[in-house]
Amino acid sequence: MKPRFRSMAAQAHDWRTAAMICAEAVAPVDHAALGLVYVTEAVAAHLPEVVSLLSATTGVRHWTGTIGAGVCGTNEEFFSGAAVSILILPLEEDDWTFLPSLRQPEDVADAIPEDWMQTARPLVGLVHGDPRNEAIPGIIDLLPEAIDSYLVGGLTVLPDSLSHLSTKGLGSVGGHIAGTLVPDHHGEQPGFETITGGGLSGVLFGADVPVVVGLSQGCQPIGPPHLITSMDDDWVEGLNNRTALDVLRQDLQTANLLSKNPRQQDDDGLASLAGTIHAAVPVSGSDTADYLVRSLMAIDIQDGRLGIAADLVEGERLMFVRRDPVSAEADLRAMVRRLLARCPEPPRGALYISCLARGPRLFGQGRQEMAIITEELGTVPLTGFFAGGEINHNRIYTFTGVLMLFL
């Protein structure tokens, strides 16, 4: 019988209690394993101590993880106070390898030993990135092709207090971890060998670690993609040779979200949709109608222009989507069901990375997002965090949820 995945998430008055609750719930681990650990911002300054405590209590020496705006577990999500979430993956050491911290695109070429790549044939990588490094998007774009693997992960939510923090003998703490607990030079107290920041790091899983991955946009398109026919600096001025605002209004009216016969032009309900309607850029070549959601930042009523938080040019496509609790829940449930349909056997463990703008901000107070996943997935051991950007394959998304199931 295969060793089982084990998980725990806990919130407490202090980091030590939260970490100990998690450790004792999964201990002892008497087989080869890799640990995933996520902590809230309140625990960030104690990340080295958390990992040392987890290792000493469980016996798991290898850990990777990061800091989130919140952490999640099976039917649990915590945003305030000291909270920790862990997942123990019962994997042999040959089944995975650490991805060293990559700080520039040129670091990608020599990231992974060639002999391990040829033997393990990695299919997926779990990565955590430092949002302060402007090179991260370029690294994420290059890495999947360089290692012939699919990426899943997220951007760290890093408190200002950690911007320049360092710890005794452990190097720079920049928000994410990928390393092993080793004895210090006296051979007594364990210390964490690699706590890193400033780049992209994590682990790669070999082909003997089967997974399936799904993405929930939390949106529903309200119309087809449109051609950008005119730009005015950063404003989208024209779509389909009409003013951008006219095209947006037409999509909203077709979706029955605006009055088609308002008493006045500014009385059609457009203002009431602020925060619900977003722009989306279709992903070229996607066979799943994928798109990148971007915020609709401003509407110029007089000139009919739209301000969108994206670098756009004439000739690109643009569409509009609706995000609200109802559409987000429907999309999340559909994603989990699609994933389960692809599983040849019940999943043994799960990792979920959600946007910090989701959770209670989107689904309401309580544990709504994780309750939805648990209702669809069942009580599968799960860990995860709420990120400042979600990584899926070679792109950074926002407002999404990424779910990876271990089979």
Side-chain angles (χ1 to χ4, degrees), residues 16 23 28 42 45 64 72 85 90 93 130-131 138 187 207 213 243 250 267 305 320 354 378 393 395:
R16 189 181 302 276
T64 189
C72 56
S85 179
E93 292 191 20
D130 191 325
V213 179
T243 69
Q250 178 179 311
D267 189 32
R305 305 180 302 174
F320 301 105
S354 185
H393 192 34
R395 299 180 182 89

Side-chain angles (χ1 to χ4, degrees), residues 38-191:
Y38 298 104
V39 304
T40 52
E41 295 176 78
V43 181
H46 302 284
L47 190 53
E49 296 98 320
V50 168
V51 177
S52 294
L53 185 154
L54 292 173
S55 179
T57 307
T58 65
V60 177
R61 297 177 58 245
H62 311 295
W63 294 85
T64 189
T66 195
I67 304 158
V71 299
C72 56
T74 304
N75 206 30
E76 297 279 11
E77 53 190 69
F78 302 115
F79 294 89
S80 61
V84 178
S85 179
I86 65 173
L87 176 68
I88 305 301
L89 285 62
L91 303 176
E92 298 295 331
E93 292 191 20
D94 290 343
D95 289 335
W96 59 271
T97 190
F98 283 120
L99 178 69
S101 186
L102 309 176
R103 290 176 169 81
Q104 297 295 331
E106 50 265 31
D107 296 340
V108 170
D110 300 320
I112 303 298
E114 190 64 32
D115 55 348
W116 185 86
M117 291 282 291
Q118 293 179 354
T119 303
R121 296 171 289 114
L123 297 178
V124 66
L126 168 60
V127 295
H128 310 109
D130 191 325
R132 301 170 299 178
N133 187 336
E134 296 180 354
I136 293 296
I139 296 171
I140 291 171
D141 184 53
L142 291 173
L143 187 59
E145 183 175 353
I147 61 176
D148 195 23
S149 296
Y150 196 97
L151 295 184
V152 171
L155 300 184
T156 292
V157 177
L158 190 61
D160 291 339
S161 61
L162 282 191
S163 294
H164 303 287
L165 180 68
S166 62
T167 60
K168 179 181 65 177
L170 300 180
S172 173
V173 177
H176 46 282
I177 61 175
T180 300
L181 269 291
V182 296
D184 69 6
H185 61 282
H186 297 296
E188 298 173 356
Q189 290 296 110

